[in-house]
Each structure stands twice: as structure tokens, then as C-alpha cells.
Amino acid sequence: DAMVIQNPRYQVTQFGKPVTLSCSQTLNHNVMYWYQQKSSQAPKLLFHYYDKDFNNEADTPDNFQSRRPNTSFCFLDIRSPGLGDAAMYLCATSRGQMVETQYFGPGTRLLVL
Amino acid sequence: SQELEQSPQSLIVQEGKNLTINCTSSKTLYGLYWYKQKYGEGLIFLMMLQKGGEEKSHEKITAKLDEKKQQSSLHITASQPSHAGIYLCGAVHGSGNTGKLIFGQGTTLQVKP
């Protein structure tokens, strides 16, 4: 089945140690999104790619970066994770940028020790 | 105040009972999405509504978007334990929007057998 895949499902890292989360999709969608969801909170958009064009949300910390080497893959890099970065990270894709359905992956839960 | 308010925040119903979850926006909705999330997992797309007065159904779940396009309701008929989870509404607030979804805080549903 076409889908959005996130690896790993659980990631443990140390305070300040860089970590990379990955997302891949078989939907051939143009847009890929990264959301952060803290416990009992709504998902919050960090940034998105429309094809190769990167769009950062104004309040996304500089500590978070993203790469999209090709249509299928997108990475979230956290340069120096702090305790406050522990959260569920959700990847989503959509065919286009307008009012299109976003399809989500299962998420990666990040724990920072 | 939240751009998107969901009510109630949590709900416990007996199996077989009907229930309704509401999502109210402070701005005109250009697209309204309903997702379901099991604890610790990704978001599962349920339905998308765009037109005022639109109503969609999937199995025992029905969602409506009011005529003024500022409120949506999700109705579950004859609830089952499989309906338990967190229901999130997401909104697109601009016609020229880049697809950014703003989410409500979620409604946690428990269904007692």
C-alpha cells in the first residue's frame, strides 16, 4: 500500500547530541510536512517542502532543520536537542499546497535524556 | 484564544450511544479536516469538508460543515470500542493558503463496553 513511513518509531538521544529523523513516502506527493506534537497538545507545523522549495514557520527554532534530497524522502535534523524538544514528530504529505488532504505517518517519538 | 476550539475536551460514552464533537473556528474555514489519533500513533484521515452545508459520512461517522463555514461537527452513531481515540479537527484558514493546517486541541473519546 502507498503510505508515509517514519523511522525510527522511537528515538532516544542525549541532551545536545544531534539527531536525525527520517520520513519517506510512496504517494509521489509534491509536499512534505514536519509537525511537532507535545504531550496532550495539537500538532504544530515546523516547516514544509513544496517540491524542493523549503518553507519555514516563523516560530520554528533555528535548532530544527530539514532536508529533502528527493521526492520520496525528507529528514528532520535537530542540531542540539534540549529537554523541551522531547515530543512526537509527525511527517505528512499532500499532493499540492492548496486545500489538499494531508496524509500522516505513524510518527517518531523522541526522548531526550 | 485558540483559532480552533474543540468541545468537549474529553468524552466517555457507553457502547452503542451516539455522540457529537464540535469544532469552532474564529475565522472562515476554507477546508476542515477530521483526523483520528490513537495514543502514541500518527493521524488517520477521516474526512475533509470544504463547502458550506457539506456533509460527509464514513461508516458510522458523519461530519458537517455549517453554512457560515465557521463550525463543524462530527457525529458518531452507535459508538463502539474501536471508535475510542483522540479526534482532531484541522483547518485551512485562507484561500491562498500554502496548505498550513491549524489543529484544535483534540477530543479524547472513551467508549465503555
Side-chain angles (χ1 to χ4, degrees):
Chain A
D1 287 345
M3 56 199 307
V4 183
I5 302 157
Q6 289 188 245
N7 286 305
R9 294 292 309 276
Y10 300 90
Q11 177 74 56
V12 181
T13 191
Q14 291 179 332
F15 183 94
K17 186 174 180 182
V19 66
T20 295
L21 310 182
S22 76
C23 176
S24 64
Q25 52 124 346
T26 60
L27 296 157
N28 204 32
H29 281 173
N30 291 314
V31 193
M32 295 187 77
Y33 308 81
W34 279 104
Y35 289 84
Q36 179 192 63
Q37 186 180 27
K38 295 190 176 180
S39 182
S40 300
Q41 294 185 22
K44 181 177 175 299
L45 183 65
L46 294 173
F47 26 58
H48 76 276
Y49 273 95
Y50 180 77
D51 197 10
K52 296 180 181 179
D53 293 333
F54 177 71
N55 297 272
N56 199 30
E57 292 300 302
D59 55 355
T60 298
D62 292 340
N63 197 25
F64 291 86
Q65 295 181 339
S66 185
R67 296 170 283 135
R68 189 178 185 187
N70 54 54
T71 301
S72 300
F73 284 86
C74 195
F75 300 99
L76 170 62
D77 300 309
I78 309 176
R79 288 192 295 188
S80 182
L83 298 178
D85 296 328
M88 173 75 90
Y89 290 89
L90 296 163
C91 174
T93 73
S94 67
R95 189 174 49 186
Q97 282 194 119
M98 300 304 286
V99 186
E100 297 266 6
T101 299
Q102 292 185 23
Y103 296 93
F104 284 77
T108 295
R109 182 166 293 281
L110 178 68
L111 181 63
V112 181
L113 300 178
Chain B
S1 62
Q2 297 278 344
E3 287 185 42
L4 214 55
E5 295 266 3
Q6 281 187 242
S7 63
Q9 287 189 332
S10 63
L11 199 52
I12 303 173
V13 300
Q14 201 69 38
E15 183 176 358
K17 295 293 185 184
N18 302 337
L19 63 106
T20 299
I21 298 168
N22 293 302
C23 177
T24 302
S25 174
S26 59
K27 302 177 184 179
T28 300
L29 298 165
Y30 285 86
L32 189 287
Y33 301 78
W34 284 100
Y35 287 89
K36 180 184 175 184
Q37 185 178 32
K38 296 256 181 180
Y39 181 76
E41 297 183 11
L43 278 62
I44 298 167
F45 171 71
L46 296 175
M47 279 170 277
M48 183 183 83
L49 304 163
Q50 278 188 270
K51 299 175 184 176
E54 189 174 11
E55 179 175 324
K56 287 186 177 178
S57 293
H58 175 67
E59 296 178 345
K60 293 185 178 179
I61 302 175
T62 301
K64 299 178 186 179
L65 183 62
D66 81 351
E67 292 288 345
K68 294 181 181 178
K69 295 176 68 176
Q70 288 202 248
Q71 188 170 14
S72 178
S73 60
L74 185 84
H75 185 76
I76 299 177
T77 304
S79 58
Q80 299 168 1
S82 61
H83 287 128
I86 302 167
Y87 289 83
L88 289 154
C89 65
V92 174
H93 278 138
S95 60
N97 201 278
T98 58
K100 177 178 178 177
L101 273 182
I102 304 294
F103 283 95
Q105 291 293 95
T107 296
T108 301
L109 172 63
Q110 294 181 53
V111 180
K112 290 189 172 181

